[in-house]
């Protein structure tokens, strides 16, 4: 029984180190996460934003935040033209590299939010 407790404590400590490393890597990596949306939004559009915010908070604390941009109100935002944004779009950027998770996000935000959170984390870690 004592061995099991020690093993559990070691696992918890390792999980804490892993999350700490992920947070440090995210801050140093230059990763940015953007969600472009319209003024009027459906339930799924709102779910994409909510789940993305939760994923970033869960895995990276305050080191990575979602930048939500209303593309109708901020028509002159240079990112709209650079990334050819014309509809709801979830983008993860690092330098000139962009990963578009829009389709995946819309397919999973409401029905499988944990799957979307895992995809966001995996995408950021690969960048």
């Amino acid at each position: 029984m004592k061995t099991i407790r020690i093993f559990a404590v070691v696992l918890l400590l390792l999980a804490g180190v892993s999350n700490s490393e992920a947070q440090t890597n995210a801050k140093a990596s230059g990763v940015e996460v953007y969600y472009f949306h319209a003024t009027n939004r459906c339930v799924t559009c709102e779910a994409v934003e909510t789940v993305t915010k939760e994923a970033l908070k869960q895995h990276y604390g305050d080191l990575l935040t979602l930048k939500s941009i209303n593309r109708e109100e901020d028509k002159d935002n240079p990112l709209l033209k650079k990334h050819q944004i014309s509809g709801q779009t979830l983008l993860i950027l690092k330098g000139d590299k962009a990963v578009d998770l829009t389709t995946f996000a819309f397919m999973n935000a409401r029905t499988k939010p944990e799957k979307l959170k895992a995809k966001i984390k995996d995408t950021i870690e690969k960048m």
Side-chain angles (χ1 to χ4, degrees):
M1 190 62 135
K2 187 175 181 180
T3 305
I4 292 173
R5 286 184 187 162
I6 292 171
F7 183 70
V9 170
V10 169
L11 283 177
L12 287 172
L13 289 173
L14 288 175
V17 169
S18 176
N19 190 39
S20 176
E21 287 175 13
Q23 289 181 1
T24 302
N25 291 340
K27 185 175 184 180
S29 70
V31 172
E32 296 179 293
V33 184
Y34 291 93
Y35 181 54
F36 300 90
H37 60 84
T39 301
N40 295 319
R41 301 195 282 170
C42 67
V43 176
T44 304
C45 297
E46 292 174 353
V48 168
E49 183 172 0
T50 300
V51 172
T52 302
K53 284 179 180 178
E54 289 171 358
L56 295 175
K57 184 74 171 174
Q58 177 183 343
H59 297 294
Y60 304 105
D62 294 330
L63 298 176
L64 276 180
T65 58
L66 178 67
K67 295 162 188 83
S68 184
I69 298 173
N70 183 326
R71 65 180 202 290
E72 294 174 344
E73 292 177 3
D74 194 4
K75 293 178 185 178
D76 296 327
N77 189 308
L79 292 173
L80 294 172
K81 185 174 182 180
K82 179 178 181 179
H83 297 287
Q84 301 175 353
I85 306 296
S86 60
Q88 275 67 295
T89 306
L90 177 61
L91 278 183
I92 299 179
L93 305 174
K94 180 179 180 184
D96 289 334
K97 183 176 182 182
V99 178
D100 185 342
L101 294 181
T102 307
T103 302
F104 190 89
F106 272 79
M107 288 174 46
N108 293 286
R110 292 184 63 205
T111 58
K112 300 174 190 157
E114 293 307 316
K115 190 173 181 178
L116 175 55
K117 288 178 183 181
K119 179 72 169 178
I120 290 168
K121 182 177 187 253
D122 183 56
T123 301
I124 291 170
E125 287 179 1
K126 286 181 179 177
M127 295 179 95

